[in-house]
Amino acid sequence: MSDSTSGHDTPQAGRLLIGLYPARYRAAHGEDIQATFAEAVEGRPRHAVLRECRDLATHALRLRLRIGPTDAPGRLLAGAAPVALALAAGCALSYLLPQLHELVHRIRYPYPNLGLGYAVLNAVLAVASTMPWLLALAFAVSGRWQAARATGAAAVLLGAGALALLAPASYVRGEIAWMTLVGLLALLAPAGLVDVAQRGRWEMAALALAVALPMIAVGRYGAQYLPMPMEGLLPIWLSTVTAPVLAVRLSGGRSDRLRELGVGLGVLPWLMPIVIAALYGAVPLPTVLRYTGACLAPLGGAAAVAGAVQLARRARTADPSDPV
């Protein structure tokens, strides 16, 4: 190792972070990584050094967890993350819009026994738990995925804090679990693989609206006709909304099937509440299995339709042309 690439010249933080790399990769590329890191941070201000440390740690952890852009899990995450973010934003919109009038009304005319402070606190918590998801979607739809996933992480923290203040503990566990899983999907997905081309951005916006607008309409006019509470039907509805996107992706001519299959994984965070309820003994296992099957049935149907389309396309291509 040359003097310029020695451990003496590499900042202590860099040497520690390089240790996060898998041993085989570190043995093959460790000197180059040290040299590049030392050159990148030399004479730079503290915030720039911290950014380089973050990038180095992120790259190392992606390789160690095998979620890089060339790894199968990374490609699945790249398909799931934008879908999960769009669904979360749709859920946030379906909650916030119907509440706005009541929140503003209660600020203007507080409950006599609770006062203005309680009304303002309710409004702040409702906005804090929903607006970051909408802002994250806005970043994603504008093609700024790095900003979108950072905002999604903030949405998890703000949403978890708001729920902890507003809701019973038994309800908080499941809600925090799905939010955390959505945030992790966004953070772990390889940014370079996430589809932020025009088609991908339109899909995210359409998914969010397809989730929110029917839920708002049903909640306002038809909640009494539902076979179960809205919270119970939510995962089934999210799966139903996602199914057409999955069918179109799988039946198309794109080459990365793992990323297309990842679209269906974007629904899985919303199964976490019932899974956690089962772990605490609140829901029996047969009920969990039936419910999970109902939630995944639309995605399975979409995959079957896409498979049939692919088979028909191959059969048509394989048929010889009729002689003239």
Side-chain angles (χ1 to χ4, degrees), residues 163-164 166-178 272-278 280-283:
L163 281 171
L166 289 175
S170 58
Y171 178 74
V172 164
R173 286 192 294 261
E175 291 294 301
I176 290 178
W178 77 251
M272 292 304 297
I274 194 168
V275 170
I276 290 177
Y280 279 89
V283 181

Side-chain angles (χ1 to χ4, degrees), residues 4 10 27 92 109 124 139-140 174 178 181 203 221 263 282 294 306 316 322:
S4 62
T10 304
Y109 307 103
V124 169
F139 282 132
W178 77 251
L181 195 49
E203 283 179 353
Y221 302 110
V263 168
R316 187 169 59 250
D322 294 333

Side-chain angles (χ1 to χ4, degrees), residues 25-239:
Y25 189 92
R26 190 167 62 246
H29 306 286
E31 293 186 10
D32 292 337
I33 297 171
Q34 283 193 15
T36 302
F37 181 79
E39 182 179 350
V41 302
E42 185 177 2
R44 302 289 298 279
R46 183 177 180 81
H47 67 87
V49 174
L50 290 175
R51 185 168 60 249
E52 293 293 336
C53 288
R54 181 202 64 191
D55 293 342
L56 185 67
T58 300
H59 185 238
L61 289 174
R62 286 193 182 283
L63 289 177
R64 183 169 287 278
L65 297 174
R66 298 185 182 275
I67 55 173
T70 59
D71 298 312
R75 289 149 62 196
L76 285 169
L77 289 172
V83 171
L85 182 61
L87 297 179
C91 293
L93 187 62
S94 70
Y95 172 78
L96 181 61
L97 280 184
Q99 298 290 325
L100 280 178
H101 179 268
E102 177 67 15
L103 292 172
V104 173
H105 179 74
R106 287 305 164 197
I107 290 175
R108 294 178 63 190
Y109 307 103
Y111 290 111
N113 55 332
L114 295 176
L116 178 61
Y118 178 81
V120 171
L121 176 63
N122 260 355
V124 169
L125 291 176
V127 172
S129 63
T130 52
M131 282 303 296
W133 292 114
L134 301 178
L135 183 59
L137 179 65
F139 282 132
V141 170
S142 65
R144 300 170 61 188
W145 181 251
Q146 297 280 12
R149 68 182 185 179
T151 310
V156 174
L157 298 177
L158 291 171
L163 281 171
L165 290 173
L166 289 175
S170 58
Y171 178 74
V172 164
R173 286 192 294 261
E175 291 294 301
I176 290 178
W178 77 251
M179 285 192 296
T180 302
L181 195 49
V182 172
L184 286 174
L185 286 175
L187 286 173
L188 296 177
L193 283 186
V194 174
D195 186 2
V196 289
Q198 185 174 10
R199 175 177 173 175
R201 298 200 301 267
W202 276 108
E203 283 179 353
M204 284 186 277
L207 274 173
L209 292 176
V211 168
L213 298 182
M215 286 181 62
I216 292 171
V218 170
R220 185 175 180 87
Y221 302 110
Q224 66 272 25
Y225 303 112
L226 296 177
M228 65 175 71
M230 186 83 78
E231 293 80 6
L233 288 174
L234 177 61
I236 300 175
W237 176 240
L238 298 182
S239 179

